[in-house]
Amino acid sequence: MGLNLAQKIIKEHLVSGEMVAGSEISIKIDQTLTQDSTGTMAYLQFEAIGIPRVKTKKSVAYIDHNTLQAGFENADDHKYIQTVTSKHGIYFSKPGNGICHQVQLERFGVPGMTLLGSDSHTPTGGGIGMLAIGAGGLDVAVAMGGGPYYLSMPKVCKVELKGKLNPWSTAKDIILEVLRVLTVKGGVGKVIEYAGEGIKSLTVPERATITNMGAELGATTSIFPSDEVTLEFLKAQGREQDWIELLPDADAEYDEHIVIDLATIEPMAAKPHSPDNVEKISTIGKIKVDQVAIGSCTNSSYMDMMKVAAILKGKTVNPNVSLVIAPGSKQVLTMLAQNGALADMVAAGARILESACGPCIGMGQAPCTDAVSLRTFNRNFEGRSGTTSAKVYLVSPEVAAASALTGVLTDPRELGEAPKIEMPKEFLVNDNLVIAPAPEGSDVEVVRGPNIKPFPLNKALTEKVTGKALIKVEDNITTDHIMPSNAKLLPFRSNVPYLAEFCLTPCDPEFPARAKANGGGFIIGGSNYGQGSSREHAALAPLQLGVKGVIAKSFARIHMANLINSGIIPMTFENEADYDAIDMNDELAIENAIEQVKKADTIVVKNLTKNTQFNVKVTLSDRQVQMILAGGLLNYTREQAEK
Ligand code: F3S
């Protein structure tokens, strides 16, 4: 049986597991990327692993999210990331160099390689034929340390593109159509693989617009083949040597198959407040527009910007519209400046923003109350723009620019002939905002501002685990109870010792002090302990306070995985009535802990205060057993790297 693209790359990188949809596999990671919002934690975790240099082929740290420097915090984070990356062999893309996914595509992406990024739109790299997956910071830290990335073997859905787009219909409209068909849940557990003669007419940046919004389908990732079009792009970036041809086998099999005729695609919009709430512009009608924002990792390429400039040239933005444009990278911005397109945008009345995420991440440009905002971005959830009452429509750059001129949602076909923009034969290459790491062995001082604190690291499991029942909580405790996240605490995400002072305080304000006074101990939980988000800090804060195990009636799945990552033993009562028999401050003990955990079945817990004992269950995979024995995923990764 022939292989499709996703299977080919996975096979090439497979470390463990069988390539059967739904079963756990692990793959080797070639490249990683981080952005500043998740990067600080990823590098603290990498430091905690204790490996001197990254083991990936290339790792890049971008500063593109929190580029506003209204206080010292963001600037401190940037300084920390710049110095820690230099020390450990990671490239550093300075603020102003551009949005991570755009720059990765231009300067670093390599067909056939795997890319793991601590940003959900990492699948953008699929536009150049990479298997590019978004993950948590901890996963990225482990990958940088040489550890494999674990995932469920995805199903592969073939999206066959037939025919050719009509003028004014765009790559954005293709992915909006796919979202309309598959919905925001349609990609879960799948790789979306594009094929068919229609892909030949799509440039790499257009393909990247499509793979970028595969994240909105919930897909593991999306991918295009690496073909002549890819070669042309890489040549124009001066990276011809990075190209390989990568096509699915002629007899490749797929789990699903969808056909889209490009000739039927019209300009579209995703209406408030979901990316799959898609309708043709022609049927939505001419609603009044207050703001137009062009940019983001979805639509900020050179080609996108040139089309916008051509539409705006010689015209004036409607007096009632605020138009902001953020070119995706320094490369794009410089080329626009050199060829005069930037002047056309400015002359028309556009406000040019830094090459960064900007309004997409709520860094400025919140629309006015009740505004209609047209954005070329990928998400339009309520409130994401910074204004809860705003209605955000996701559109192509062409629809955005046309509407900025008219002041109403406009089908660009009304403008007449579409601008013809050729893909440049040569992009302007100047990587002077990418700082190469210091040579191995150099003496680099990692600069830690007051907000950057070392990451808590557990110790290997001991023969005897003892401690008090530090707190006893009810059913349905959420990660918000365990580690509250509010506007006041958010800036401290790199400061676990400070955050730990708030751990479980909604349940018991004295808990952190009690845990510290006793040198740690156990948490006693009810059913569904740790439900809610995937917040890693809900495991890190208890670890900081010395928590060794959580005994609950049941666990929420992701929180349980996070506890294991931190080396905290998650145990469930064999008999739920034993929950009632424990009181706060009871002294508990697990003897022969190593032996008992290795069996990954039943553990006997002694209640020394009451002179009784009870059974708990530990449900762990072989790998999870090793993680608990090592004292968490970071220690485990270090052990593996030393072997
Ligand atoms: Fe940045 Fe928005 Fe993309 S925050 S990485 S431009 S989704």
Side-chain angles (χ1 to χ4, degrees):
M1 187 183 86
L3 299 180
N4 53 49
L5 281 178
Q7 290 166 339
K8 280 191 176 182
I9 301 181
I10 290 172
K11 187 170 175 215
E12 185 86 358
H13 292 81
L14 194 68
V15 175
S16 67
E18 273 192 61
M19 289 173 53
V20 177
S23 64
E24 188 183 73
I25 57 166
S26 67
I27 54 173
K28 179 150 184 49
I29 296 300
D30 298 318
Q31 295 191 346
T32 62
L33 71 78
T34 56
Q35 35 92 335
D36 47 297
S37 178
T38 55
T40 324
M41 184 53 75
Y43 295 113
L44 285 168
Q45 289 165 327
F46 180 75
E47 283 189 294
I49 297 175
I51 292 173
R53 296 291 276 195
V54 283
K55 294 187 183 284
T56 42
K57 290 184 177 149
K58 182 144 282 172
S59 288
V60 190
Y62 294 91
I63 307 293
D64 58 1
H65 274 56
N66 299 318
T67 53
L68 279 188
Q69 289 171 238
F72 67 89
E73 292 90 350
N74 285 342
D76 276 7
D77 279 2
H78 301 172
K79 190 49 124 191
Y80 165 69
I81 294 175
Q82 177 161 3
T83 50
V84 78
T85 52
S86 178
K87 182 175 172 125
H88 296 291
I90 300 145
Y91 287 77
F92 177 74
S93 173
K94 287 176 77 177
N97 196 45
I99 304 173
C100 54
H101 308 305
Q102 175 67 24
V103 178
Q104 187 79 14
L105 205 65
E106 292 169 354
R107 307 303 309 141
F108 299 110
V110 177
M113 283 197 184
T114 51
L115 166 68
L116 196 71
S118 62
D119 186 275
S120 51
H121 289 95
T122 303
T124 312
I128 205 166
M130 301 190 89
L131 192 80
I133 301 176
L138 182 59
D139 291 317
V140 173
V142 168
M144 287 191 289
Y149 174 64
Y150 286 80
L151 73 161
S152 283
M153 177 68 197
K155 289 185 173 173
V156 184
C157 172
K158 175 181 182 179
V159 176
E160 186 178 344
L161 303 180
K162 288 169 91 173
K164 222 174 154 204
L165 287 171
N166 289 315
W168 293 113
S169 295
T170 66
K172 183 64 160 279
D173 301 309
I174 299 175
I175 187 61
L176 290 178
E177 171 66 8
V178 177
L179 273 154
R180 189 186 68 76
V181 174
L182 291 180
T183 80
V184 289
K185 295 199 189 105
V188 175
K190 296 175 198 164
V191 172
I192 312 294
E193 187 166 315
Y194 290 87
E197 97 251 16
I199 62 172
K200 294 204 186 80
S201 59
L202 297 172
T203 63
V204 165
E206 286 174 312
R207 294 173 179 190
T209 294
I210 293 170
T211 53
N212 173 278
M213 281 190 81
E216 277 53 61
L217 293 164
T220 306
T221 190
S222 303
I223 188 166
F224 276 82
S226 172
D227 55 9
E228 288 299 310
V229 174
T230 323
L231 175 60
E232 285 310 305
F233 178 80
L234 282 170
K235 254 192 203 165
Q237 290 286 352
R239 299 203 290 126
E240 192 180 345
Q241 72 285 359
D242 287 340
W243 184 75
I244 54 155
E245 185 174 63
L246 188 67
L247 307 173
D249 289 335
D251 56 346
E253 288 191 8
Y254 296 86
D255 299 288
E256 286 170 38
H257 186 181
I258 294 170
V259 180
I260 292 179
D261 182 357
L262 297 184
T264 64
I265 302 263
E266 290 187 30
M268 292 195 268
K271 301 182 293 179
H273 297 285
S274 180
D276 62 357
N277 190 14
V278 172
E279 193 179 329
K280 291 174 186 167
I281 301 287
S282 55
T283 63
I284 298 174
K286 294 195 175 296
I287 48 175
K288 192 175 163 303
V289 171
D290 303 282
Q291 183 195 51
V292 173
I294 301 177
S296 89
C297 57
T298 316
N299 276 123
S300 61
S301 69
Y302 172 80
M303 301 290 281
D304 284 333
M305 292 294 148
M306 287 302 290
K307 286 176 196 159
V308 168
I311 294 168
L312 296 179
K313 188 177 167 114
K315 311 226 171 62
T316 298
V317 170
N318 185 280
N320 298 317
V321 174
S322 166
L323 170 64
V324 291
I325 302 178
S329 68
K330 170 178 165 261
Q331 179 183 80
V332 174
L333 182 55
T334 316
M335 288 174 75
L336 298 178
Q338 287 188 345
N339 69 16
L342 187 65
D344 293 336
M345 291 173 168
V346 175
R351 300 157 65 191
I352 306 300
L353 305 179
E354 183 179 17
S355 291
C357 301
C360 182
I361 190 67
M363 283 288 143
Q365 314 309 327
C368 64
T369 304
D370 297 331
V372 167
S373 174
L374 302 191
R375 300 182 160 213
T376 64
F377 307 169
N378 46 37
R379 287 184 173 157
N380 60 346
F381 306 135
E382 199 166 6
R384 184 173 165 101
S385 65
T387 305
T388 316
S389 66
K391 295 177 220 43
V392 175
Y393 290 71
L394 305 175
V395 296
S396 68
E398 287 86 332
V399 170
S403 306
L405 295 175
T406 59
V408 291
L409 181 66
T410 298
D411 188 328
R413 291 175 292 189
E414 292 170 21
L415 301 186
E417 208 178 320
K420 290 210 171 40
I421 310 289
E422 291 295 326
M423 189 73 177
K425 289 273 169 267
E426 221 175 297
F427 287 96
L428 186 126
V429 176
N430 178 356
D431 291 330
N432 62 345
L433 292 190
V434 178
I435 313 295
E440 195 158 0
S442 337
D443 203 8
V444 179
E445 190 209 341
V446 178
V447 180
R448 296 169 210 276
N451 200 26
I452 311 280
K453 290 285 184 293
F455 189 82
L457 200 56
N458 211 332
K459 295 203 172 64
L461 188 68
T462 48
E463 264 313 330
K464 191 167 178 184
V465 180
T466 56
K468 279 188 177 164
L470 297 167
I471 188 170
K472 188 173 169 184
V473 290
E474 305 290 310
D475 292 347
N476 297 318
I477 292 297
T478 69
T479 47
D480 269 329
H481 290 108
I482 305 168
M483 190 59 258
S485 168
N486 52 41
K488 283 207 184 118
L489 292 180
L490 206 59
F492 297 98
R493 59 182 174 251
S494 318
N495 189 345
V496 178
Y498 179 79
L499 286 179
E501 297 297 328
F502 300 86
C503 179
L504 279 165
T505 50
C507 302
D508 178 354
E510 304 304 319
F511 170 72
R514 190 182 314 119
K516 282 198 282 187
N518 285 287
F522 294 89
I523 293 172
I524 310 300
S527 300
N528 202 18
Y529 179 82
Q531 65 161 331
S533 73
S534 59
R535 193 172 305 159
E536 282 176 352
H537 287 86
L540 297 175
L543 172 61
Q544 177 74 37
L545 296 173
V547 170
K548 298 165 186 172
V550 181
I551 309 174
K553 290 180 184 170
S554 66
F555 286 92
R557 185 180 56 86
I558 298 178
H559 182 61
M560 181 163 145
N562 285 336
L563 287 174
I564 297 167
N565 283 344
S566 289
I568 297 174
I569 316 171
M571 296 165 272
T572 48
F573 290 102
E574 199 172 82
N575 178 359
E576 286 194 6
D578 289 328
Y579 169 90
D580 301 318
I582 303 181
D583 289 314
M584 204 168 83
N585 290 324
D586 280 0
E587 192 72 35
L588 306 179
I590 302 172
E591 283 163 8
N592 299 324
I594 293 175
E595 220 32 59
Q596 295 209 70
V597 165
K598 272 188 187 163
K599 284 194 193 124
D601 185 19
T602 304
I603 287 184
V604 180
V605 181
K606 291 194 168 160
N607 187 330
L608 303 178
T609 307
K610 301 221 160 66
N611 208 9
T612 55
Q613 65 180 43
F614 58 95
N615 287 348
V616 293
K617 287 270 178 204
V618 276
T619 316
L620 301 170
S621 69
D622 290 349
R623 187 170 66 96
Q624 289 174 328
V625 167
Q626 297 307 319
M627 274 157 51
I628 294 285
L629 295 180
L633 176 56
L634 297 181
N635 287 335
Y636 174 67
T637 305
R638 176 163 45 191
E639 280 178 9
Q640 295 297 309
E642 282 166 1
K643 276 185 187 165

Short mmCIF file of all heavy atoms in Angstrom, two decimals, residues 35 64-65 99-102 119-122 124 212 216 295-298 300 356-362 377-379 384, ligand 1:
data_model
loop_
_atom_site.label_atom_id
_atom_site.label_comp_id
_atom_site.label_asym_id
_atom_site.label_seq_id
_atom_site.Cartn_x
_atom_site.Cartn_y
_atom_site.Cartn_z
N GLN A 35 7.23 31.35 20.51
CA GLN A 35 7.01 32.81 20.49
C GLN A 35 7.14 33.28 21.94
O GLN A 35 7.19 32.45 22.86
CB GLN A 35 5.67 33.16 19.83
CG GLN A 35 4.53 32.16 20.07
CD GLN A 35 3.69 32.48 21.25
OE1 GLN A 35 4.13 33.15 22.17
NE2 GLN A 35 2.47 31.97 21.24
N ASP A 64 7.21 38.12 18.95
CA ASP A 64 6.20 38.70 18.05
C ASP A 64 4.86 38.98 18.73
O ASP A 64 4.05 39.72 18.20
CB ASP A 64 5.97 37.78 16.84
CG ASP A 64 5.53 36.37 17.24
OD1 ASP A 64 5.38 36.12 18.45
OD2 ASP A 64 5.35 35.53 16.35
N HIS A 65 4.65 38.41 19.91
CA HIS A 65 3.34 38.55 20.55
C HIS A 65 3.25 39.80 21.41
O HIS A 65 2.52 40.73 21.11
CB HIS A 65 3.04 37.32 21.42
CG HIS A 65 2.40 36.20 20.64
ND1 HIS A 65 2.98 35.65 19.52
CD2 HIS A 65 1.25 35.52 20.83
CE1 HIS A 65 2.18 34.69 19.05
NE2 HIS A 65 1.13 34.60 19.83
N ILE A 99 6.32 37.94 12.34
CA ILE A 99 5.49 36.93 13.01
C ILE A 99 6.13 35.56 12.80
O ILE A 99 6.56 35.23 11.68
CB ILE A 99 4.06 36.95 12.42
CG1 ILE A 99 3.46 38.36 12.54
CG2 ILE A 99 3.18 35.93 13.10
CD1 ILE A 99 2.12 38.53 11.84
N CYS A 100 6.18 34.78 13.86
CA CYS A 100 6.93 33.53 13.84
C CYS A 100 6.64 32.68 12.60
O CYS A 100 7.56 32.24 11.91
CB CYS A 100 6.70 32.73 15.12
SG CYS A 100 4.98 32.40 15.54
N HIS A 101 5.38 32.46 12.29
CA HIS A 101 5.06 31.51 11.22
C HIS A 101 5.45 32.04 9.84
O HIS A 101 5.87 31.30 8.97
CB HIS A 101 3.57 31.14 11.26
CG HIS A 101 3.14 30.70 12.62
ND1 HIS A 101 3.78 29.67 13.27
CD2 HIS A 101 2.20 31.16 13.47
CE1 HIS A 101 3.23 29.52 14.47
NE2 HIS A 101 2.27 30.41 14.61
N GLN A 102 5.29 33.35 9.66
CA GLN A 102 5.68 33.96 8.39
C GLN A 102 7.20 33.85 8.20
O GLN A 102 7.69 33.46 7.14
CB GLN A 102 5.22 35.44 8.38
CG GLN A 102 5.64 36.24 7.17
CD GLN A 102 5.00 35.78 5.88
OE1 GLN A 102 3.93 35.18 5.88
NE2 GLN A 102 5.66 36.03 4.76
N ASP A 119 2.98 27.23 19.61
CA ASP A 119 1.95 28.16 19.14
C ASP A 119 0.99 27.34 18.28
O ASP A 119 1.41 26.52 17.46
CB ASP A 119 2.56 29.29 18.31
CG ASP A 119 1.50 30.32 17.95
OD1 ASP A 119 0.80 30.13 16.93
OD2 ASP A 119 1.34 31.29 18.71
N SER A 120 -0.30 27.59 18.45
CA SER A 120 -1.29 26.73 17.81
C SER A 120 -1.30 26.85 16.28
O SER A 120 -1.82 25.97 15.61
CB SER A 120 -2.68 26.99 18.37
OG SER A 120 -2.94 28.36 18.34
N HIS A 121 -0.73 27.93 15.74
CA HIS A 121 -0.72 28.05 14.28
C HIS A 121 0.58 27.58 13.63
O HIS A 121 0.84 27.87 12.45
CB HIS A 121 -1.10 29.47 13.86
CG HIS A 121 -2.55 29.74 14.12
ND1 HIS A 121 -2.99 30.33 15.27
CD2 HIS A 121 -3.66 29.39 13.41
CE1 HIS A 121 -4.32 30.36 15.25
NE2 HIS A 121 -4.75 29.81 14.14
N THR A 122 1.35 26.80 14.37
CA THR A 122 2.56 26.19 13.82
C THR A 122 2.28 25.42 12.52
O THR A 122 3.14 25.38 11.63
CB THR A 122 3.22 25.29 14.88
OG1 THR A 122 3.47 26.10 16.04
CG2 THR A 122 4.52 24.68 14.39
N THR A 124 1.11 26.24 9.97
CA THR A 124 1.39 27.08 8.80
C THR A 124 2.52 26.48 7.97
O THR A 124 2.52 26.52 6.74
CB THR A 124 1.80 28.51 9.25
OG1 THR A 124 0.85 28.96 10.22
CG2 THR A 124 1.83 29.48 8.09
N ASN A 212 -2.42 27.30 7.75
CA ASN A 212 -2.52 28.10 8.99
C ASN A 212 -3.87 27.90 9.65
O ASN A 212 -3.97 27.61 10.84
CB ASN A 212 -2.30 29.59 8.62
CG ASN A 212 -2.56 30.54 9.78
OD1 ASN A 212 -3.69 30.89 10.05
ND2 ASN A 212 -1.51 30.94 10.46
N GLU A 216 -7.90 26.05 12.98
CA GLU A 216 -9.31 26.33 13.32
C GLU A 216 -10.20 25.12 13.08
O GLU A 216 -11.30 25.03 13.61
CB GLU A 216 -9.82 27.53 12.52
CG GLU A 216 -9.45 28.88 13.13
CD GLU A 216 -7.98 29.06 13.41
OE1 GLU A 216 -7.20 28.99 12.45
OE2 GLU A 216 -7.59 29.22 14.58
N GLY A 295 -3.31 41.67 8.20
CA GLY A 295 -2.04 41.13 8.70
C GLY A 295 -2.28 39.79 9.34
O GLY A 295 -3.16 39.04 8.92
N SER A 296 -1.48 39.46 10.38
CA SER A 296 -1.51 38.21 11.14
C SER A 296 -0.79 37.09 10.39
O SER A 296 -0.48 37.22 9.20
CB SER A 296 -2.92 37.75 11.49
OG SER A 296 -3.45 36.94 10.47
N CYS A 297 -0.58 35.98 11.08
CA CYS A 297 0.15 34.87 10.46
C CYS A 297 -0.65 34.23 9.34
O CYS A 297 -0.13 33.40 8.61
CB CYS A 297 0.53 33.83 11.51
SG CYS A 297 -0.86 33.17 12.45
N THR A 298 -1.91 34.62 9.16
CA THR A 298 -2.74 34.04 8.10
C THR A 298 -2.55 34.76 6.77
O THR A 298 -2.48 34.12 5.72
CB THR A 298 -4.23 34.13 8.49
OG1 THR A 298 -4.37 33.73 9.84
CG2 THR A 298 -5.10 33.25 7.62
N SER A 300 -0.33 37.86 5.74
CA SER A 300 0.56 39.02 5.82
C SER A 300 1.77 38.84 4.93
O SER A 300 2.81 39.45 5.14
CB SER A 300 1.01 39.22 7.27
OG SER A 300 1.72 38.07 7.71
N ALA A 356 4.33 42.29 13.48
CA ALA A 356 4.13 41.46 14.68
C ALA A 356 2.67 41.05 14.72
O ALA A 356 1.89 41.43 13.85
CB ALA A 356 4.50 42.26 15.93
N CYS A 357 2.31 40.28 15.75
CA CYS A 357 0.91 39.81 15.85
C CYS A 357 -0.06 40.97 16.08
O CYS A 357 -1.18 40.96 15.59
CB CYS A 357 0.79 38.82 16.99
SG CYS A 357 1.86 37.39 16.80
N GLY A 358 0.36 41.94 16.89
CA GLY A 358 -0.42 43.16 17.12
C GLY A 358 -1.86 42.90 17.49
O GLY A 358 -2.15 42.19 18.45
N PRO A 359 -2.81 43.46 16.68
CA PRO A 359 -4.21 43.37 17.07
C PRO A 359 -4.73 41.93 17.18
O PRO A 359 -5.72 41.69 17.86
CB PRO A 359 -4.96 44.11 15.96
CG PRO A 359 -3.97 44.50 14.94
CD PRO A 359 -2.59 44.27 15.49
N CYS A 360 -4.07 40.98 16.52
CA CYS A 360 -4.55 39.59 16.58
C CYS A 360 -4.49 39.05 18.00
O CYS A 360 -5.32 38.25 18.41
CB CYS A 360 -3.74 38.72 15.64
SG CYS A 360 -4.29 37.01 15.62
N ILE A 361 -3.49 39.52 18.76
CA ILE A 361 -3.34 39.04 20.13
C ILE A 361 -3.84 40.10 21.12
O ILE A 361 -3.61 40.03 22.34
CB ILE A 361 -1.86 38.63 20.41
CG1 ILE A 361 -1.66 37.89 21.73
CG2 ILE A 361 -0.91 39.79 20.31
CD1 ILE A 361 -2.30 36.55 21.77
N GLY A 362 -4.54 41.09 20.58
CA GLY A 362 -5.10 42.12 21.45
C GLY A 362 -4.07 43.15 21.90
O GLY A 362 -4.28 43.87 22.86
N PHE A 377 -7.46 37.86 9.80
CA PHE A 377 -6.84 36.95 10.76
C PHE A 377 -7.52 35.58 10.71
O PHE A 377 -8.28 35.27 9.79
CB PHE A 377 -6.93 37.53 12.18
CG PHE A 377 -6.39 38.94 12.31
CD1 PHE A 377 -6.60 39.66 13.48
CD2 PHE A 377 -5.68 39.55 11.30
CE1 PHE A 377 -6.12 40.95 13.63
CE2 PHE A 377 -5.19 40.84 11.42
CZ PHE A 377 -5.41 41.54 12.59
N ASN A 378 -7.27 34.77 11.76
CA ASN A 378 -7.81 33.41 11.75
C ASN A 378 -8.84 33.13 12.84
O ASN A 378 -9.45 32.07 12.85
CB ASN A 378 -6.67 32.39 11.84
CG ASN A 378 -5.65 32.76 12.90
OD1 ASN A 378 -6.03 33.26 13.96
ND2 ASN A 378 -4.38 32.52 12.65
N ARG A 379 -9.01 34.05 13.77
CA ARG A 379 -9.95 33.79 14.87
C ARG A 379 -10.85 35.00 15.09
O ARG A 379 -10.38 36.13 15.04
CB ARG A 379 -9.19 33.46 16.15
CG ARG A 379 -8.58 32.09 16.07
CD ARG A 379 -7.90 31.67 17.34
NE ARG A 379 -7.51 30.28 17.19
CZ ARG A 379 -6.54 29.70 17.87
NH1 ARG A 379 -5.87 30.37 18.77
NH2 ARG A 379 -6.25 28.44 17.68
N ARG A 384 -12.02 38.56 21.57
CA ARG A 384 -10.59 38.42 21.25
C ARG A 384 -9.99 39.73 20.74
O ARG A 384 -8.81 40.00 20.91
CB ARG A 384 -10.39 37.30 20.22
CG ARG A 384 -8.90 37.03 19.91
CD ARG A 384 -8.73 35.82 19.02
NE ARG A 384 -7.40 35.77 18.43
CZ ARG A 384 -6.41 35.01 18.87
NH1 ARG A 384 -6.57 34.24 19.91
NH2 ARG A 384 -5.24 35.01 18.27
FE1 F3S B 1 0.23 35.83 16.18
FE2 F3S B 1 -2.35 35.83 15.82
FE3 F3S B 1 -0.86 34.21 14.49
S1 F3S B 1 -1.31 36.00 17.76
S2 F3S B 1 0.91 33.78 15.73
S3 F3S B 1 -0.81 36.42 14.35
S4 F3S B 1 -2.85 33.74 15.42
#
